[in-house]
Amino acid sequence: GAGVSQSPRYKVAKRGQDVALRCDPISGHVSLFWYQQALGQGPEFLTYFQNEAQLDKSGLPSDRFFAERPEGSVSTLKIQRTQQEDSAVYLCASSLLEQETQYFGPGTRLLVL
Amino acid sequence: KNEVEQSPQNLTAQEGEFITINCSYSVGISALHWLQQHPGGGIVSLFMLSSGKKKHGRLIATINIQEKHSSLHITASHPRDSAVYICAVRPLTGTASKLTFGTGTRLQVTL
């Protein structure tokens, strides 16, 4: 069966550009998570959705980061006016219910020049 | 100090060796996860533990809630086990959904 997919897999952006990263969770999964992973570090929580509701966005590093999941399935993480420190792998994960096993996508590697 | 500490940070083993990776955490948790990350970023969930011990093939995970410590063991290691192994905890306080991750243990198994 299909797992979590993310697109694009790689993105190079010039400083100041806006980027949009897409996540397609496993069909029927209620919970969706976004994480940021800097080189050589473990992932760090960004935000969490239960269906279309964004229940926790405490990990978003600044107001340049915005996430949505309007129909409770596909989610988009948008970064406005990208900065070099935004360079990282952005991981999406979904789970059937909130506290169950999370299934991770392959990530989007963002490089801001 | 990070809430989740892993040791060692890097580990090289020969094929067939028994491997142990340790994870210590400083907060009360409802669950602990062991994850495997291969080059290129893909993360696979290996175990989710709240007590005791779990086994899957050559992998064994244990947790001691009182000591706030977990171990991941790999028996009869193989080069295909080479990956980064990450420990993550779900804290009791705060948002139930939020996982806190360790920085990972990079394992290389050689022939």
Side-chain angles (χ1 to χ4, degrees):
Chain A
V4 178
S5 61
Q6 293 186 244
S7 62
R9 292 293 312 278
Y10 302 92
K11 177 70 179 177
V12 178
K14 291 183 180 176
R15 189 162 54 94
Q17 271 186 330
D18 297 349
V19 298
L21 313 180
R22 177 186 168 107
C23 172
D24 283 82
I26 293 173
S27 178
H29 277 196
V30 169
S31 299
L32 186 146
F33 307 83
W34 282 100
Y35 299 97
Q36 181 191 58
Q37 186 175 24
L39 189 64
Q41 301 296 313
E44 291 195 5
F45 172 85
L46 292 177
T47 187
Y48 160 64
F49 290 86
Q50 185 173 315
N51 295 308
E52 69 278 3
Q54 189 175 20
L55 298 187
D56 188 342
K57 55 182 181 178
S58 62
L60 296 177
S62 78
D63 59 7
R64 296 186 295 103
F65 286 70
F66 171 77
E68 60 183 3
R69 194 186 185 196
E71 297 178 0
S73 55
V74 171
S75 178
T76 303
L77 176 67
K78 297 179 180 178
I79 309 173
Q80 297 177 323
R81 304 181 303 281
T82 52
Q83 303 294 315
Q84 284 187 318
E85 62 262 29
D86 300 335
S87 297
V89 175
Y90 291 85
L91 295 162
C92 174
S94 71
S95 62
L96 187 58
L97 295 172
E98 181 180 310
Q99 297 199 34
E100 296 194 0
T101 297
Q102 295 184 21
Y103 295 86
F104 285 80
T108 294
R109 188 176 297 273
L110 173 65
L111 177 62
V112 181
L113 301 176
Chain B
K1 188 180 187 301
N2 292 335
E3 289 183 340
V4 181
E5 299 272 358
Q6 288 186 236
S7 64
Q9 287 189 331
N10 295 283
L11 181 57
T12 300
Q14 282 197 316
E15 184 178 13
E17 284 186 14
F18 180 85
I19 288 162
T20 296
I21 299 170
N22 296 299
C23 175
S24 296
Y25 52 91
S26 57
V27 296
I29 66 169
S30 60
L32 180 144
H33 298 250
W34 280 104
L35 309 164
Q36 180 192 56
Q37 185 170 30
H38 281 284
I43 291 180
V44 174
S45 181
L46 299 174
F47 295 103
M48 184 169 64
L49 293 165
S50 55
S51 66
K53 176 179 174 177
K54 287 190 175 181
K55 184 176 189 293
H56 182 69
R58 295 180 295 105
L59 301 178
I60 302 167
T62 64
I63 188 168
N64 185 316
I65 295 291
Q66 288 72 30
E67 294 186 4
K68 294 186 168 60
H69 181 269
S70 175
S71 293
L72 176 69
H73 306 284
I74 305 175
T75 61
S77 59
H78 190 276
R80 64 175 174 266
D81 297 327
S82 299
V84 176
Y85 293 83
I86 302 172
C87 171
V89 301
R90 190 187 306 280
L92 281 172
T93 57
T95 304
S97 55
K98 190 181 298 188
L99 290 179
T100 301
F101 295 79
T103 55
T105 295
R106 185 174 300 275
L107 170 65
Q108 184 172 3
V109 182
T110 60
L111 292 169

